[in-house]
């Protein structure tokens, strides 16, 4: 039997809640529903143990990880399964570059550090990467802050035999994936796109952050789409009533043979944190496996799961 | 400059209207909007001349092809372009196996016979194929009747160096293509399908025929879909108000990570005859090119554009 | 404190399940969610006791009403509340006009007989009405079979001081109500309807019955709509995956000022049996109250809740 | 035969384009499609003559009204009808309170001044009202700026026997009307609203202005809705691809009997300027009629067509 991967996590928000609960659900039921890769290099979905957790909210610090994930502003639902105590008290996390040694010490015994805090704090992200490097731990950056795209950092992780995965998680199933698939399908069938729009609505704290700092994300969303010059994005809408759900409305207007109209209207409803957790579960296992095999730096299999892998623009 | 392909057509319904008008529109504007393959083996979209047309409706017989395409029950719209007279009077078509010689004689000078009549008259379809064979003309069967799947017939076309393309056209962009793409996308991202339905509404005479004989078509639609055991089809709805448009409502309910719900609702609106003409324009050029190259029997490139190519069940 | 209404019910299908469970839920939580009329003539939603139940399925007969409502083919969900045993064993119901005396005897102590069996068995419906009349009990016919529209029967109920409510329940919230409201709104604002369609999909046994006998229902649905000459109904679609839910897709195409296009697309999702129970709860209380007040025959307040009240065509 | 109403207009944007073209279309075809009130006090839809037009764009000034309405940034479509020259050259309009006398002089012969400029310039709006008052002309304020709600101004118009209609046009058919109708319908049927949202997307210059100054409008939209505490509005989205169309996505989640879920999803597509013109055509006739009858100040029949009539908060 394979040894479980030992994971530390930064950020005890909705995405961590979905990850922790989803693993417990799988262990409880054995079900593979909604799971993209049942086994990666011998590691199953249940073969993950949390060994440390960092957060900055006073309410969460000191609580067991399995309690802290249900505290406000988290609003991912409580899944319908038993959730055994993790015996991992949430520790005070970093807010700047001081305290790296303390975090490094706390990572003793961990194999992977999953950085799952909000985007927009590049110095903090870098400090955690530094701590992981000192502790000899693989690092996963799920935010848009440039970590794996920092050539100097990537070089040092590679030299040390430590995997560095990032940046910016592509959701398991979100608006970009769907919109891009539809745009490609139209193009492949020979239809000519006339116009297309995308409206994104959400109710998580992460979504509220995006709404307040939309610029960078908007452009990166457009870049991800085929035929982007005809696509327009409506401003993101934070609607608390949606809780952890994201709703997207897509429209595509095209022309087929004889220049006749083809139109497509789509509504997508999905739990945003599940989309993140469903990818993190794979990145964690890839990182742990690479670490065990002594492969430092970038991990090829993880590239398609990231929006801004090493080599893309910062 | 390449010699234009000389095409005879059986059936002067909406699909022929879309084909004839779309070619004229392209010649007029040079536009490639909605065109999947601008050139096939040197033949452009405008490099097609109609040389004969067969129909069974008294109103259409004797009229020029470019007038007959606008007669009831046809309801494909008049496109916004000049439509020069074809100088091809519509000729009385076959209703059974008699008259094959007459049709063969009328095919003198043609390279391709496009069989674009309603499905459900296998003897008539076969009689036209026979006439094409006698006249040394390539044959395209766009209906669900088994012609290219008839091994004896296919063998004789192959031996005579005559291409035989069929059976049953897959639309350039229709419900099956879209539904299948979405089902595949969900599966590829690791989501688990819970249930899915498809509602098809249309207003053409072809659609009305389908509504009255839905059985075979329904099953073949389901066969075309991934994850078909979870997909249910609502009965086809003939709504005259839709005219030549087809409307489809799709729903997909799935589960992602943590068994949380993912739902997709889609409305598609498309002109059915354009979907047929957009594929026929390619089949015609493939057939003409194969004939000119002396390649009889099946045409490999055409296979993905057919629902029931040679080798599939009858 | 008011004396509870004593109700006997014919038919232990989804609608009865929704009624029995919804009353228990209200008693448990006191919540008025989804309840149109909290009190009618002093009778609250919880002031109803079931005293007899009739069914024809061998599986249901002999079981307590609160168990029988969960047996196949019923598929209305189990609501999230305690459901105390009713101590009402389901009794074998009528299948024709024999047995009226037996049913009348079993109605001793009841005030109201709610006839909630499938439509299409007018003789059986009439036999139950006969039994109610003999037992001195008010009668509610929720089916499309003509009972309250039978002048002779209505006269006898009136003469005996027994309320007779029917025929054919209008759902608390269904496709007809919604479609009609939208058509009226367009008209009121001066828009001109061009075309409109309605697709109804459902997964209950009642829905399957409708699909197999659609004719009468279709016409009555159209009659219920303003501007019906422009409205077309797609064939009803039985989709087992929907279980007790009904899904409707509506489209309305209109023209406003300058003859410019106005279009509306609507998806409605609703639990069909809840729509019935939400009206039955009011009809029962109106019937009990009228009985107690000695008002026989038709009940004025119930008229808007019925599709075919006395005086409409049979 | 009635004498035609003589109208001057401020603002030569999309709304004026829709008004001018729609009148011409009606005169040409006699059609009453999309027209709410064919005749008001003897005045038909065609009984309106434009006698003056004011704008501030250099491109529009000096052009005939019937040409200026097609200049950028206007993007309301050219309707399919002949548009005879109006022989009304567009005149330079006011940008502040100077020039009132010049405008008043230009209003000689007019009966009604329709103020149809963008919202947000209260001083300019007031200057035009002043000019109308001096010239003895009725005034219609279609903007949200407080004119008819100004008691002093209203008093002077009333004293002078001059009608004053305003403020803020309610569209003939827009998101608020639709959303409110659906919320009322749910309430009337006894359903309990859980949550609801509204997304508005548009492509006109007016819409772009709203996007840049959304605050006031947002709150006033919410005020217009029943059950507003459960309704959330997504930020307005300016999408140039929509041109003069507005698209709205509405969602309503409710609970019916047994607290079971009822959900409604709606897409509305409408030409925004038609919605304005379809109401302006009525306000103009009401104003002209009131003027001819010597009724100054507010006009009772116009109240339901205004979002902020006299007496509502400024």
């Amino acid at each position: 039997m394979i040894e479980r991967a030992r994971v530390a996590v930064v950020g005890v928000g909705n995405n961590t809640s979905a990850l922790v609960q989803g693993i417990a659900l799988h262990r409880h039921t054995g079900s593979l529903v909604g799971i993209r890769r049942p086994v990666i290099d011998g590691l199953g979905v249940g073969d993950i143990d949390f060994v440390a957790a960092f957060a900055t909210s006073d309410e969460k610090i000191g609580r067991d990880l399995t309690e802290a994930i249900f505290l406000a502003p988290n609003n991912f639902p409580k899944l319908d399964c038993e959730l055994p105590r993790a015996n991992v008290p949430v520790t005070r996390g970093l807010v700047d570059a001081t305290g790296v040694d303390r975090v490094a010490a706390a990572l003793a015994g961990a194999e992977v550090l999953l950085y799952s805090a909000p985007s927009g704090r590049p110095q903090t992200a870098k400090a955690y990467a530094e701590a992981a490097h000192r502790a000899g731990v693989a690092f996963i950056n799920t935010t848009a802050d440039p970590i794996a795209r920092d050539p100097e950092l990537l070089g040092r992780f590679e030299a040390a035999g430590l995997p560095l995965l990032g940046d910016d998680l592509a959701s398991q199933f979100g608006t970009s994936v769907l919109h891009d698939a539809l745009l490609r399908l139209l193009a492949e069938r020979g239809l000519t796109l006339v116009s297309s729009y995308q409206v994104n609505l959400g109710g998580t704290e992460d979504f509220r952050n995006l709404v307040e700092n939309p610029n960078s994300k908007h452009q990166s969303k457009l870049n991800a789409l085929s035929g982007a010059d005809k696509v327009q994005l409506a401003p993101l809408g934070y609607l608390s009533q949606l809780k952890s759900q994201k709703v997207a409305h897509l429209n595509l207007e095209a022309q087929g043979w004889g220049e006749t109209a083809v139109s497509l209207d789509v509504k997508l409803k999905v739990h945003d944190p599940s989309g993140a957790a469903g990818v993190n579960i794979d990145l964690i296992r890839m990182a742990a496996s690479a670490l065990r095999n002594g492969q430092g730096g970038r991990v090829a299999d993880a590239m398609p799961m990231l929006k801004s892998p090493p080599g893309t623009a910062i």
Side-chain angles (χ1 to χ4, degrees), chain A:
Chain A
M1 200 177 185
I2 199 160
E3 205 184 338
R4 286 187 174 173
R6 296 183 305 280
V7 177
V9 62
V10 178
V12 183
N14 276 324
N15 294 359
T16 297
S17 177
L19 180 63
V20 168
Q21 289 193 74
I23 291 172
L25 180 69
H26 168 79
R27 283 186 188 161
H28 190 69
T29 64
S31 154
L32 291 173
V33 162
I35 290 171
R36 195 171 182 189
R37 296 178 180 86
V39 178
I40 295 180
D41 293 338
L43 287 161
V45 166
D47 294 330
I48 287 172
D49 278 336
F50 291 95
V51 297
F54 302 90
T56 53
S57 139
D58 286 339
E59 287 74 27
K60 289 175 182 164
I61 293 166
R63 307 286 291 266
D64 190 68
L65 175 59
T66 53
E67 295 168 359
I69 55 176
F70 297 112
L71 299 179
N74 289 14
N75 54 11
F76 184 78
K78 189 159 182 4
L79 299 185
D80 188 20
C81 80
E82 221 182 324
L83 183 60
R85 226 180 133 74
N87 294 317
V88 175
V90 175
T91 309
R92 182 168 302 278
L94 304 176
V95 291
D96 53 28
T98 65
V100 170
D101 283 333
R102 175 177 60 81
V103 168
L107 291 178
E111 294 174 285
V112 176
L113 178 57
L114 175 69
Y115 183 72
S116 184
S119 288
R121 303 171 196 162
Q123 292 313 313
T124 308
K126 203 161 176 187
Y128 276 109
E130 209 59 68
H133 187 267
R134 285 189 205 172
V137 164
F139 190 77
I140 302 170
N141 174 34
T142 69
T143 74
D145 299 325
I147 300 298
R149 279 172 295 169
D150 177 335
E152 189 268 339
L153 209 51
L154 183 65
R156 285 166 52 210
F157 268 80
E158 193 169 359
L162 300 174
L164 177 56
L165 289 74
D167 301 323
D168 208 0
L169 204 71
S171 175
Q172 188 184 1
F173 196 77
T175 318
S176 300
V177 164
L178 176 62
H179 204 162
D180 190 53
L182 292 171
L183 289 166
R184 281 177 195 279
L185 181 65
L186 293 187
E188 179 201 315
R189 305 299 291 191
L191 305 191
T192 302
L193 189 66
V194 173
S195 66
S196 183
Y197 68 75
Q198 183 187 116
V199 180
N200 285 284
L201 311 169
T204 65
E205 202 57 20
D206 278 358
F207 208 85
R208 187 209 286 265
N209 286 334
L210 278 181
V211 169
E212 288 165 9
N213 306 290
N215 298 337
S216 59
K217 199 74 181 187
H218 247 56
Q219 195 49 48
S220 100
K221 260 180 165 312
L222 270 180
N223 291 348
L225 297 175
S226 330
D229 56 321
K230 299 283 181 58
V231 180
Q232 297 185 328
L233 305 184
L236 298 172
Y238 170 73
L239 304 179
S240 62
Q241 63 183 235
L242 294 179
K243 293 177 188 152
S244 78
Q245 289 184 117
K246 173 190 277 181
V247 169
H249 295 281
L250 308 185
N251 169 257
L252 298 92
E253 302 289 337
Q255 288 181 303
W257 174 259
E259 305 192 3
T260 56
V262 176
S263 78
L264 261 180
D265 279 288
V266 183
K267 182 182 182 184
L268 166 68
K269 203 167 171 180
V270 63
H271 280 272
D272 231 9
S274 293
V279 174
N280 280 333
I281 190 69
D282 293 350
L283 294 178
I284 288 170
R285 292 179 290 168
M286 289 175 183
S289 174
L291 181 83
R292 293 174 183 187
N293 293 330
Q295 299 168 351
R298 77 186 69 193
V299 173
D301 286 353
M303 295 295 142
M305 303 152 78
L306 298 161
K307 286 186 190 153
S308 306
T312 54
I314 293 187

